[in-house]
Amino acid sequence: MLPTSVSKGRSSSSASRTNPMFPQYLRRIIKWQQMDIEYTFWQMLHLCTSPKVVYQHTKYHKQTKNQWARDDPAFVVICSLLLSVATIAYCAAYDHSATHAIFVVISVLLFHFLITGAMLATFCWFLTNSYLREDSPNSHVVEQRVEWLYAFDVHCNSFFPMFVMLYVIHYFLSPLLMVHGFIPVLLSNLLFMAAASYYHYLNFLGYDVLPFLERTTFFLYPIGVSIVLSPILILSGFNPSRYFMNMYFSRRL
């Protein structure tokens, strides 16, 4: 469990020890031999099947490493590679030039995953630390804060099942989802709604596991928005599959 009381000196020294965490994390990206690939794939599997088990292991990580965030960049590296492979598969099926395909792969990797993830992580990091932390009645209790790198971990965890649904499953269903008609519109909207809802559910689990946060059900509210918007989009005939595919492959579609 988390420590309940330490001196201010120890608290400040603990904070100073966490400062070099991010540079060390970046240095390990190029060191494959230091990455736990097997454990990363175990996490990816259980994020799709039993996500609470993954966050139970996050508690163990806190107890042993004294930080909530991963110190291993393997998850980000492997997720980036899988995303690149999936995007290449889309380009092979729908693109019109090799140059444009390279642009699509880079833009999807940067904007769909890394940049958007950094922005969402920053928003959640600021929100949790500013508004969702419990007020401690004891001045001697260690001040607990959400690490930015942990907020990015939560995004990556939430992104992977969405990647499976919207990049892998969607790829095999795309010949059906891309045609005109009510059934493709219905299936496409349901797939996107399920992916968005599961993303926000995992986001909720990631912050709900932190014992110093309260009102974490806030992260479940976007699921209600998705459920409300989905029938409206279906009735309006909006097909998210056609919309997003046309953004990148409009000449072929």
Side-chain angles (χ1 to χ4, degrees):
M1 297 300 292
L2 293 174
T4 55
S5 62
V6 294
S7 65
K8 291 183 179 179
R10 182 178 174 182
S11 176
S12 60
S13 64
S14 176
S16 65
R17 285 195 302 267
T18 61
N19 289 334
M21 178 176 63
F22 191 68
Q24 180 182 3
Y25 181 90
L26 293 178
R27 285 195 297 269
R28 292 187 63 181
I29 289 179
I30 60 175
K31 298 179 180 179
W32 279 93
Q33 65 274 16
Q34 296 185 9
M35 297 184 189
D36 192 341
I37 306 299
E38 182 179 354
Y39 179 62
T40 298
F41 281 114
W42 179 90
Q43 286 182 309
M44 289 178 169
L45 173 63
H46 283 80
L47 283 169
C48 298
T49 58
S50 305
K52 290 184 179 181
V53 174
V54 175
Y55 284 111
Q56 189 65 37
H57 278 252
T58 301
K59 293 182 180 180
Y60 302 150
H61 182 80
K62 171 62 177 177
Q63 294 170 356
T64 57
K65 299 293 183 70
N66 196 30
Q67 67 182 46
W68 292 99
R70 296 186 185 100
D71 55 358
D72 184 357
F75 195 99
V76 176
V77 172
I78 293 176
C79 198
S80 298
L81 291 176
L82 293 176
L83 182 60
S84 299
V85 171
T87 307
I88 291 172
Y90 275 95
C91 292
Y94 296 104
D95 211 344
H96 54 275
S97 72
T99 303
H100 185 259
I102 294 174
F103 166 77
V104 171
V105 172
I106 294 175
S107 62
V108 167
L109 181 61
L110 289 180
F111 293 102
H112 286 206
F113 180 43
L114 297 176
I115 295 179
T116 301
M119 294 173 61
L120 290 172
T122 302
F123 170 76
C124 293
W125 168 79
F126 173 78
L127 177 70
T128 51
N129 285 323
S130 300
Y131 301 104
L132 301 184
R133 286 191 302 150
E134 291 182 343
D135 293 328
S136 174
N138 190 342
S139 60
H140 297 287
V141 172
V142 178
E143 183 184 33
Q144 298 287 336
R145 299 183 65 86
V146 177
E147 307 152 1
W148 185 91
L149 198 55
Y150 178 77
F152 187 70
D153 281 346
V154 171
H155 161 73
C156 294
N157 291 345
S158 304
F159 179 87
F160 181 75
M162 186 171 67
F163 157 78
V164 172
M165 286 186 270
L166 296 187
Y167 288 84
V168 180
I169 296 176
H170 184 277
Y171 176 80
F172 293 104
L173 294 180
S174 59
L176 170 63
L177 300 177
M178 294 300 296
V179 300
H180 294 280
F182 176 76
I183 298 300
V185 170
L186 174 65
L187 293 178
S188 180
N189 277 281
L190 290 178
L191 181 61
F192 274 76
M193 182 194 70
S197 298
Y198 199 67
Y199 174 91
H200 290 293
Y201 171 67
L202 291 187
N203 217 35
F204 159 74
L205 289 182
Y207 294 104
D208 189 59
V209 76
L210 302 181
F212 55 90
L213 295 183
E214 59 184 2
R215 303 187 303 276
T216 53
T217 51
F218 170 83
F219 293 103
L220 294 175
Y221 294 167
I223 297 178
V225 176
S226 300
I227 294 174
V228 171
L229 281 179
S230 185
I232 297 175
L233 296 176
I234 292 172
L235 293 176
S236 66
F238 176 74
N239 188 325
S241 296
R242 291 189 62 86
Y243 175 80
F244 287 107
M245 293 287 283
N246 279 319
M247 287 179 59
Y248 292 103
F249 311 115
S250 57
R251 293 187 185 180
R252 291 290 304 272
L253 303 176

